[in-house]
Amino acid sequence: MVMIMRSIALIDCNNFYVSCERVFNPKLRGKPVVVLSNNDGCAVARSNEAKALGVPMGAPWFKLKDLAKQHGIIAYSSNYALYADMSNRVMSILRQFSPAQEVYSIDESFLDLTGFARRDLVAYGHKIRSTILQGTGLPVCVGIASTKTLAKLANHCAKKRPEFDGVCNFNVMNERQLNDILASIEVGEIWGVGRKLAPRLSALGFKTVLDLKNANPEILRQNFSVVMEKTIRELNGTVCIEMEEIAPPKKQIVSSRSFGSPVTDIEGLSESISLYTSRAAEKLRRQESYAGSIYVFIRTSPFREKDRQYSNGMTVPLPSPTNNTAKLVSVAMWALKKIYRPGYNYAKAGIMLSELVPAAGIQGDMFSNMQPNSKSERLMNAMDAINRKMGKESLKLASEGFRRPWAMKQERKSQCFTTRWDELLNVS
């Protein structure tokens, strides 16, 4: 019996947010660019040129203004609509290259290439790169290996080492070649290790990926967890983390934002809570789930030291699970009135839907007026269908507000080049 080696590919878009901005503004190529977080607060994405200037991840923008002025660093607000649409385009293209795909994040996707054993997978990886570049303008790197953990490291090499030209396949290397590469990579680069566990591993003598690969998985499991054991086994080629072609339903759905300016009245808080609950309810229906409880919270900013500080939240169990926006908003408004206190400058609010159950697993309550019914479901389905066809918030609850002076700041946002007719790119 011949064993076929697994071939898992990780496709990762380089500096995704920055790359999306550069697709529609080629003048940004070669220049230091950063993309900022909500309310234009911190740098959450940096071009290689910005990194070379010493811009750290998460640095507050107001602290970077002198450096930006000195070196011409260009900052953009996060353009979530653009990034989401570009991600969808990339993932759609990738589906052409394998029948088994796992969308891991907005800029990463796993493909199972095990059935492509007769192909030259390095050449196949270059074809993936060129197709995505031609179809979207986005640069990607491809890492191929026998497990997802090794594929992540292969992608790291494809990205960082010029000799691989954007495609690295660990499966074509002999054991000595692979170990030489793993010995040159710090242990903190391993998927699932990161900054938190790296110092602990380093203190125990595991400084490189090869060190951890040669570790005893049972002993490390006792010192850390079963996740560490799986990581070590994956580094040795044993598949412990399977492909997830269908993302599992979320166990909780959180929707929250920091305000663009402080909110002092309950009207502004009510609008924000209504909006966040509506967005969460839409996600709930998308995964065909119902919520059994809702948590509402509000808080002031701990960074505004001169302001009076207040933070509070409240969980409300629902008599019967629901995914109806109006019913969830009604409960959220009741909770907000209970925790609201006047005289504070509120900086953030949000909600969390918990105790999620699939539609087929609802336990009804004959005495509850929140019980699911076909009329409620038809209303929600119609609302979602209209918003999908006509655009987000084409149909919404009036309680979500219209002017929204509290909305987050996006003073440096680029156009929604791919999602709004009035913001399409003009070529002259």
Side-chain angles (χ1 to χ4, degrees):
M1 180 177 178
V2 179
M3 296 294 293
I4 299 177
M5 178 181 288
R6 288 283 297 273
S7 292
I8 304 296
L10 175 66
I11 295 85
D12 177 22
C13 185
N14 307 337
N15 291 328
F16 180 67
Y17 289 1
V18 172
S19 296
C20 287
E21 300 291 350
R22 284 176 166 172
V23 167
F24 299 96
N25 188 356
K27 293 180 180 179
L28 298 176
R29 294 173 185 170
K31 295 183 179 179
V33 180
V34 298
V35 176
L36 305 176
S37 62
N38 293 345
N39 295 310
D40 297 342
C42 304
V44 293
R46 305 156 296 156
S47 66
N48 292 333
E49 296 80 6
K51 294 175 185 178
L53 293 173
V55 178
M57 175 64 82
W61 174 242
F62 74 90
K63 291 185 178 181
L64 296 174
K65 288 187 176 178
D66 290 340
L67 184 67
K69 187 175 182 180
Q70 180 182 356
H71 296 284
I73 300 175
I74 303 168
Y76 280 89
S77 305
S78 291
N79 190 336
Y80 298 114
L82 176 65
Y83 306 152
D85 185 68
M86 294 296 285
S87 174
N88 290 337
R89 292 172 186 236
V90 171
M91 302 310 168
S92 178
I93 292 173
L94 288 176
R95 291 189 194 101
Q96 304 171 19
F97 290 91
S98 172
Q101 177 189 26
E102 176 187 340
V103 179
Y104 180 67
S105 67
I106 193 171
D107 60 347
E108 294 177 297
S109 181
F110 288 102
L111 296 180
D112 191 342
L113 303 180
T114 304
F116 296 74
R118 295 183 179 180
R119 283 183 176 269
D120 179 344
L121 292 186
V122 172
Y124 200 59
H126 283 294
K127 184 178 180 181
I128 291 173
R129 292 188 74 211
S130 61
T131 304
I132 292 176
L133 185 64
Q134 182 179 19
T136 67
L138 294 172
V140 299
C141 287
V142 181
I144 304 170
S146 57
T147 68
K148 291 169 76 172
T149 302
L150 284 171
K152 275 269 194 178
L153 291 169
N155 186 277
H156 171 79
C157 293
K159 191 183 302 181
K160 299 294 183 181
R161 300 192 177 197
E163 63 266 29
F164 291 114
D165 193 23
V167 179
C168 177
N169 185 1
F170 281 174
N171 285 349
V172 298
M173 301 179 185
N174 60 42
E175 187 174 0
R176 182 176 179 180
Q177 291 173 322
L178 179 57
N179 286 344
D180 285 344
I181 288 179
L182 298 184
S184 67
I185 305 175
E186 294 181 359
V187 71
E189 295 294 339
I190 300 174
W191 185 31
V193 173
R195 299 177 184 175
K196 291 185 178 180
L197 295 182
R200 288 180 59 190
L201 288 169
S202 182
L204 293 173
F206 305 106
K207 300 183 183 299
T208 70
V209 177
L210 183 62
D211 292 334
L212 193 61
K213 177 186 176 183
N214 293 330
N216 186 308
E218 285 83 7
I219 293 177
L220 266 291
R221 175 177 178 168
Q222 295 173 9
N223 292 332
F224 293 88
S225 67
V226 67
V227 176
M228 183 61 70
E229 179 186 3
K230 289 182 178 180
T231 297
I232 295 171
R233 295 192 185 282
E234 286 242 325
L235 290 175
N236 284 277
T238 301
V239 176
C240 297
I241 308 173
E242 293 289 348
M243 293 274 292
E244 294 182 353
E245 296 179 46
I246 300 176
K250 294 182 179 179
K251 296 180 180 179
Q252 295 177 326
I253 296 178
V254 179
S255 182
S256 68
R257 285 285 188 275
S258 296
F259 301 132
S261 56
V263 175
T264 58
D265 55 78
I266 194 170
E267 287 77 15
L269 290 175
S270 297
E271 287 184 358
S272 65
I273 291 294
S274 179
L275 174 63
Y276 303 151
T277 305
S278 296
R279 289 179 175 174
E282 185 179 354
K283 294 178 182 178
L284 189 67
R285 294 190 293 273
R286 197 179 304 152
Q287 71 173 38
E288 298 183 355
S289 297
Y290 286 69
S293 69
I294 182 169
Y295 172 73
V296 180
F297 73 89
I298 53 176
R299 69 170 174 82
T300 56
S301 172
F303 304 106
R304 296 172 63 98
E305 298 178 356
K306 294 182 180 179
D307 288 359
R308 297 168 61 205
Q309 297 297 312
Y310 176 71
S311 176
N312 204 352
M314 184 178 187
T315 298
V316 183
L318 302 175
S320 186
T322 184
N323 62 11
N324 183 290
T325 297
K327 293 175 181 179
L328 289 169
V329 168
S330 177
V331 175
M333 293 297 101
W334 180 86
L336 175 61
K337 291 177 182 177
K338 293 291 184 181
I339 63 175
Y340 170 74
R341 298 292 182 273
Y344 293 93
N345 293 323
Y346 292 99
K348 188 174 184 178
I351 67 101
M352 179 173 66
L353 301 180
S354 301
E355 300 180 43
L356 307 189
V357 294
I362 298 175
Q363 179 64 48
D365 177 4
M366 66 182 295
F367 301 108
S368 174
N369 61 1
M370 299 187 72
Q371 190 148 298
N373 58 70
S374 58
K375 184 177 180 180
S376 171
E377 291 179 359
R378 289 199 303 271
L379 175 61
M380 292 299 102
N381 290 338
M383 184 176 178
D384 293 340
I386 291 171
N387 286 332
R388 280 195 300 269
K389 183 176 182 179
M390 307 304 295
K392 188 169 65 175
E393 295 187 27
S394 296
L395 190 61
K396 64 181 181 180
L397 301 183
S399 60
E400 297 175 31
F402 296 92
R403 293 194 306 110
R404 298 176 184 169
W406 43 266
M408 69 176 179
K409 293 179 181 176
Q410 289 181 300
E411 297 175 351
R412 299 171 176 270
K413 189 171 77 71
S414 57
Q415 295 172 220
C416 294
F417 297 105
T418 62
T419 57
R420 292 181 63 95
W421 287 108
D422 56 338
E423 295 187 16
L424 291 177
L425 183 66
N426 291 321
V427 180
S428 56

